[in-house]
Amino acid sequence: MAEPMTLTIITPDAVVYNGFANFFVGRAVDGEFGILPNHAPMIIALDMAPLRVDSPDSTSHTFAIFGGFVEIEHNQVSIVTPNCELSSDIDIDRASRAKQRAEERLSKRTPDIDIERAEHALARSLLRLKVTKQI
């Protein structure tokens, strides 16, 4: 088996993950992708979606990734994202309430409601619920 790649997930606030990976799968703006060790150099624009990382110790970690970029070069992978949350760190009740609020705003469609902001809030809450396997 190939040597695992080094994977680092970086947000403006912290290094969320820094370790080895045998495989990771996520969604780019143009579709899903999977990366194995020794992949050719590449830069990928990320969509807001789950990211699964399979570690050499046979554990998997699922993250909510809120956009950003992946850079792959010489078995080193860097993911730079505005926000990233490990599934076990997500507050399910809070995400459910955010989903409900966003759906209520979108159903009313009054002139004082920022539709784009409500749609984005709904997408964020749905992503959080998806990575925690609530939907």
Side-chain angles (χ1 to χ4, degrees), residues 4-96:
M5 58 195 138
T6 302
L7 174 67
T8 306
I9 302 174
I10 305 163
T11 69
D13 300 324
V15 174
V16 177
Y17 181 85
N18 190 17
F20 295 104
N22 285 338
F23 179 69
F24 72 95
V25 63
R27 189 169 65 216
V29 294
D30 58 351
E32 290 194 3
F33 65 90
I35 304 294
L36 291 165
N38 300 315
H39 196 283
M42 180 179 278
I43 294 177
I44 303 167
L46 292 171
D47 199 359
M48 188 167 46
L51 177 85
R52 190 188 85 221
V53 176
D54 294 344
S55 299
D57 64 1
S58 299
T59 60
S60 284
H61 308 282
T62 304
F63 300 90
I65 297 285
F66 296 87
F69 293 91
V70 177
E71 180 184 22
I72 305 163
E73 190 169 26
H74 304 299
N75 230 19
Q76 304 281 325
V77 179
S78 297
I79 297 176
V80 180
T81 177
N83 191 19
C84 173
E85 299 172 8
L86 185 59
S87 61
S88 60
D89 294 340
I90 293 173
D91 183 337
I92 296 168
D93 291 334
R94 182 175 180 217
S96 296

